[in-house]
């Protein structure tokens, strides 16, 4: 089974409560992706979840160190700035390694990578995620658009499996509806295993000695509603995807 390093999929919310003349403030931290983590652990994978604000503290800055702790890295809903602008550089103008380059080298040397969609992956809201302009871009299975790439599907759209592949075998032709995704372009060498609303949803490719994949919607709300996460194929899909990325046998 694979050692999976999940990066991101967390957020802080700061709220202003205005009550007539007076106002007060509250804050809340959420660690998302619980269903995704539980599904992978139930399948036997070892999962370490590093929230977005701890990436510069807990994630190694070289490809060799990454390979020592992970077989597959999953980047979910966290932008390139978190990897490219560490506190030492931003606050003290101290040169520090670019962690997006470390992840690229990790894949090139044989690791697996899955980028998951969200408001701050691929290009993201207002193009703030910036992954297409990072050193990791060549290792992605898709080409990132240089603009806000969100496709909001508030009425819901059912993904469709395309072609035949061991990752999607037996999952049915139509999956539970999703509420949005990131618009990307599959690279010429890549294989599109599923589409949603006419856009690539699950894409896989190789890079150097490693394997790379993109799931362009979410693994948690709001784009992934409860029926999708409760779907019996949810765990199967991501277990198989992680196995393939790690170079393991997908079945069994």
């Amino acid at each position: 089974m694979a050692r999976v390093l999940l990066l991101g999929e967390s957020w802080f919310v700061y709220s202003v409560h205005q009550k007539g003349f007076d106002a007060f403030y509250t804050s809340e931290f959420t660690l998302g992706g619980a269903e995704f983590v539980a599904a992978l652990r139930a399948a036997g994978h070892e999962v370490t979840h590093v929230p977005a604000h701890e990436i510069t503290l807990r994630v190694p800055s070289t490809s060799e160190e990454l390979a020592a702790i992970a077989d597959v890295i999953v980047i979910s809903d966290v932008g390139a700035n978190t990897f490219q602008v560490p506190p030492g550089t931003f606050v003290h103008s101290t040169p520090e390694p670019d962690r997006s380059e470390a992840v690229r080298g990790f894949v090139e040397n044989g690791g697996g990578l899955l980028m998951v969609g969200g408001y701050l992956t691929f290009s993201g809201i207002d193009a703030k995620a910036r992954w297409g302009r990072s050193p990791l871009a060549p290792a992605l299975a898709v080409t990132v658009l240089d603009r806000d790439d969100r496709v909001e599907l508030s009425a819901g759209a059912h993904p469709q499996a395309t072609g035949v592949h061991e990752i999607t075998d037996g999952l049915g032709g139509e999956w539970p509806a999703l509420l949005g995704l990131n618009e990307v372009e599959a690279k010429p060498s890549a294989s599109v295993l599923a589409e949603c609303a006419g856009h690539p949803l699950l894409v896989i490719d190789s890079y150097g000695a490693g394997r790379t994949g993109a799931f362009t919607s979410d693994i948690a709300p709001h784009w992934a509603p409860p029926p999708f996460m409760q779907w019996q194929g949810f765990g199967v899909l991501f277990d198989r995807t992680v196995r393939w990325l790690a170079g393991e046998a997908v079945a069994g």
Side-chain angles (χ1 to χ4, degrees), residues 28 42 53 59 84 87 114 128-129 141 145 159 168 172 193 199 203 217:
E28 179 183 3
H53 66 286
V59 176
Q84 293 194 278
L114 178 65
K128 289 180 177 179
L145 304 182
T168 54
L193 305 188
H199 299 281
V203 185
S217 189

Side-chain angles (χ1 to χ4, degrees), residues 11 29 40 57 67 74 140 161 184 189 194 215 233 247:
W11 56 93
F29 170 72
L40 292 186
L57 299 174
V74 180
L140 299 178
V184 299
S189 58
F215 181 78

Side-chain angles (χ1 to χ4, degrees), residues 26-82:
T26 60
S27 61
E28 179 183 3
F29 170 72
T30 302
L31 187 66
E35 294 84 358
F36 178 79
V37 171
L40 292 186
R41 287 177 175 164
H45 302 289
E46 176 187 322
V47 184
T48 301
H49 188 176
V50 179
H53 66 286
E54 294 184 359
I55 287 173
T56 55
L57 299 174
R58 295 175 53 190
V59 176
S61 58
T62 69
S63 59
E64 293 80 10
E65 290 173 311
L66 286 171
I69 63 172
D71 303 305
V72 176
I73 293 175
V74 180
I75 297 175
S76 180
D77 214 357
V78 59
N81 283 328
T82 298

Side-chain angles (χ1 to χ4, degrees), residues 178-189:
L178 294 167
L179 301 179
L181 49 78
N182 297 89
E183 182 181 359
V184 299
E185 296 177 357
K187 289 182 176 177
S189 58

Side-chain angles (χ1 to χ4, degrees), residues 95-107:
E96 292 190 15
D98 185 331
R99 283 175 172 78
S100 69
E101 168 60 27
V103 177
R104 188 207 62 78
F106 165 81
V107 183

